[in-house]
Amino acid sequence: MRRTVFEPDHELFRESVRQFVQRTLVPLDEDIRAERMLRREVWLEAGRQGLLGMQVPEEHGGQGAGDFRFNAVIGEELARVAAAYNSIVSIHIDICAPYLLELATEEAGKRWLPGFCTGELVTAIGMTEPSGGSDLAALRTTAVRDGDSWVINGSKTFITNGGHADLVIVAAKTDPERGAKGISLFGVEAGTPGFTRGAKLDKVGQPEADTSELFFENVRVPASHLIGELDRGFVHMMERLPQERLSCAIANVAHARGVLEETVDYVKERTAFGRPIGAFQHNKFLVAELITKLDVAQAFVDQCLAAHVAGELTAVDASKAKWWSSDVQNEVIDGCVQLFGGYGYMREYRVARAWMDARVTRIWAGSNEIMKEIIGRDAGL
């Protein structure tokens, strides 16, 4: 079925993104997996190609596109190669960007946004804590006002880009007695005394992504690094989570699509008992099911993307897109592993790596159980 959410300009842009991926990322793929982080040279090249500042105004060095569909194109093309590449870049352009563009002070915006666009300043967001998981209201990290500064103490975990980010948006309690109504956001720069990082976490999948623990011990940041309104950090996060969840859904479908296309080619070529394994009815029916489920998921995600561009995407629909696409992604890739047989269990094959990479999508950005809770509440339950 022809997709109608994109216009000719988006498809032209897709070709340039695809060229960037093939020219810059693919040749370094094995090295990036071994090093467990995206090299700075890739960030800088992405900046030179204009991929990091699509939503940033021109006066700050961006393209000022004002159309999230360009971000969606970037996410799709990165995810088709490896889920982690989208994870790494989307944290920067889809998740951190709105906080800096919409909530940071003018002084901070001038300080951070030009480097954000060039790749000289890589960002991460510190929400999740060791004891909190999806419960953002249960934060233990604190920020206490001291003259013209804030002093931050606490820790974060599972932070994508955490090990090499130049700027981390940190959620902290500024009024602990008020629970969720006492959370604020701060920009913490690399090199700030007291800000340290743990070793890169040893994940099951997505080795390309630098995922780390962060520690804050009497970290002092200027008052101008407060992002958004004091004590309204939880509201700011909730308002921006639909875009994050849509970004996840877009990547989930694209990631599964790339693997499924490879699998269809494989079952046409691999023979058993004298004929291609795709000719056996069971395998043919399995492929038919996987294609259909993915196409149906794509249609809903595209509608959510169109709604977001129109300013109409709801938190409930974003939750539906996130949980459904991640479930379908995992089901599709698991089916692909089965079709590859023993080779599907070998890390040298992309299908095996994709299978490991996909599992986390049912957990992060709010677990799928949380997504269902949101949807159920909307139904009045």
Side-chain angles (χ1 to χ4, degrees):
M1 183 175 293
R2 184 174 67 88
R3 300 174 68 188
T4 59
V5 69
F6 295 114
E7 298 174 7
D9 283 352
H10 302 112
E11 296 305 338
L12 285 173
F13 180 65
R14 186 184 300 279
E15 287 304 313
S16 67
V17 177
R18 194 167 288 170
Q19 289 173 16
F20 162 79
V21 169
Q22 293 300 319
R23 183 181 65 251
T24 307
L25 268 181
V26 172
L28 294 173
D29 191 48
E30 290 188 16
D31 292 336
I32 292 170
R33 285 203 302 275
E35 295 165 9
R36 293 197 290 167
M37 64 175 289
L38 193 63
R39 290 181 175 181
R40 184 66 61 153
E41 64 191 79
V42 179
W43 283 107
L44 295 174
E45 181 60 22
R48 284 190 288 269
Q49 296 300 314
L51 304 184
L52 303 180
M54 293 304 297
Q55 307 307 315
V56 178
E58 292 181 7
E59 59 263 31
H60 292 304
Q63 282 64 52
D67 183 346
F68 189 75
R69 287 175 292 182
F70 288 105
N71 287 40
V73 167
I74 295 170
E76 288 186 346
E77 293 305 312
L78 292 173
R80 284 180 66 89
V81 177
Y85 291 141
N86 170 75
S87 304
I88 295 164
V89 175
S90 70
I91 287 288
H92 188 73
I93 67 173
D94 295 346
I95 298 171
C96 291
Y99 292 95
L100 303 184
L101 289 170
E102 300 163 11
L103 300 174
T105 63
E106 183 177 354
E107 175 187 343
K110 290 179 179 178
R111 179 181 179 88
W112 295 328
L113 287 172
F116 179 98
C117 296
T118 62
E120 295 171 284
L121 184 144
V122 174
T123 57
I125 187 162
M127 291 186 185
T128 306
E129 296 190 353
S131 61
S134 296
D135 186 3
L136 296 180
L139 297 179
R140 294 185 179 180
T141 298
T142 61
V144 177
R145 186 68 184 254
D146 183 21
D148 293 332
S149 304
W150 288 90
V151 179
I152 302 174
N153 282 280
S155 64
K156 303 291 179 179
T157 194
F158 308 140
I159 307 305
T160 301
N161 297 344
H164 74 289
D166 304 290
L167 175 71
V168 181
I169 299 169
V170 177
K173 286 280 184 71
T174 41
D175 190 347
E177 295 182 0
R178 297 182 64 202
K181 295 181 179 179
I183 295 173
S184 302
L185 304 174
F186 299 89
V188 178
E189 297 176 347
T192 303
F195 171 32
T196 58
R197 317 168 200 242
K200 296 173 187 175
L201 298 174
D202 186 14
K203 307 185 300 295
V204 170
Q206 301 204 20
E208 301 90 344
D210 155 24
T211 308
S212 304
E213 293 179 303
L214 307 179
F215 304 99
F216 308 91
E217 184 175 356
N218 295 323
V219 174
R220 186 176 293 271
V221 299
S224 62
H225 287 202
L226 173 68
I227 297 176
E229 297 180 45
L230 181 64
D231 295 334
R232 285 183 58 80
F234 186 78
V235 173
H236 294 324
M237 290 187 287
M238 292 302 102
E239 289 172 343
R240 284 151 189 83
L241 276 174
Q243 178 164 298
E244 177 179 352
R245 288 166 180 162
L246 173 61
S247 175
C248 291
I250 290 166
N252 292 344
V253 175
H255 182 228
R257 178 81 63 191
V259 175
L260 181 56
E261 288 174 359
E262 282 190 13
T263 303
V264 171
D265 289 340
Y266 178 78
V267 299
K268 289 177 180 178
E269 297 172 0
R270 177 71 187 273
T271 60
F273 304 102
R275 54 177 173 158
I277 63 172
F280 291 96
Q281 187 182 64
H282 171 80
N283 292 342
K284 185 186 299 183
F285 281 14
L286 176 57
V287 168
E289 291 169 7
L290 300 181
I291 289 172
T292 303
K293 288 177 181 178
L294 198 56
D295 282 351
V296 172
Q298 183 77 78
F300 183 70
V301 171
D302 282 356
Q303 284 297 104
C304 287
L305 175 56
H308 185 52
V309 171
E312 299 171 356
L313 180 65
T314 66
V316 174
D317 283 343
S319 297
K320 293 174 185 175
K322 189 271 177 185
W323 91 258
W324 184 258
S325 65
S326 60
D327 268 18
V328 169
Q329 172 196 30
N330 275 267
E331 182 180 353
V332 167
I333 296 177
D334 189 75
C336 292
V337 168
Q338 193 70 20
L339 288 166
F340 267 84
Y343 293 106
Y345 203 62
M346 300 296 108
R347 287 178 189 264
E348 65 185 279
Y349 281 76
R350 190 166 82 103
V351 66
R353 299 195 299 271
W355 182 57
M356 293 184 289
D357 293 345
R359 185 58 183 85
V360 73
T361 66
R362 296 164 66 185
I363 298 171
W364 66 15
S367 68
N368 282 5
E369 290 74 21
I370 295 293
M371 299 303 97
K372 294 174 187 179
E373 181 72 19
I374 292 169
I375 299 163
R377 286 179 185 176
D378 185 65
L381 303 176

